[in-house]
Amino acid sequence: MFDKFYQGDPSRSMTGTGLGLTIVKRIIDLCEGTVEVDSELGVGSVFTIRLPLGIDLQSKGP
């Protein structure tokens, strides 16, 4: 799902490059986050993105 998409049939005129999810996944990986997908045919998809806060809560004093 997160691979680059190439349209094999030029008769279908869908716009776009097919890079959206690939770019999102790469950015999330660089930020050490995760992306999850829950999809149901005919209903839709929910994408959940989790990113670290970037602070070390263990080293913070009271």
Side-chain angles (χ1 to χ4, degrees):
M1 174 179 293
F2 296 102
D3 294 334
K4 295 177 185 176
F5 169 78
Y6 297 100
Q7 195 167 336
D9 184 358
S11 68
R12 298 181 185 255
S13 60
M14 295 181 78
T15 59
T17 61
L19 295 175
L21 288 177
T22 302
I23 294 170
V24 167
K25 178 73 167 106
R26 179 70 176 137
I27 292 169
I28 292 169
D29 288 346
L30 289 171
C31 294
E32 298 179 1
T34 61
V35 60
E36 300 170 4
V37 182
D38 185 22
S39 186
E40 189 173 337
L41 187 62
V43 176
S45 301
V46 174
F47 291 81
T48 303
I49 297 171
R50 299 181 199 279
L51 297 171
L53 291 174
I55 57 174
D56 185 1
L57 297 176
Q58 302 260 340
S59 66
K60 287 208 172 239

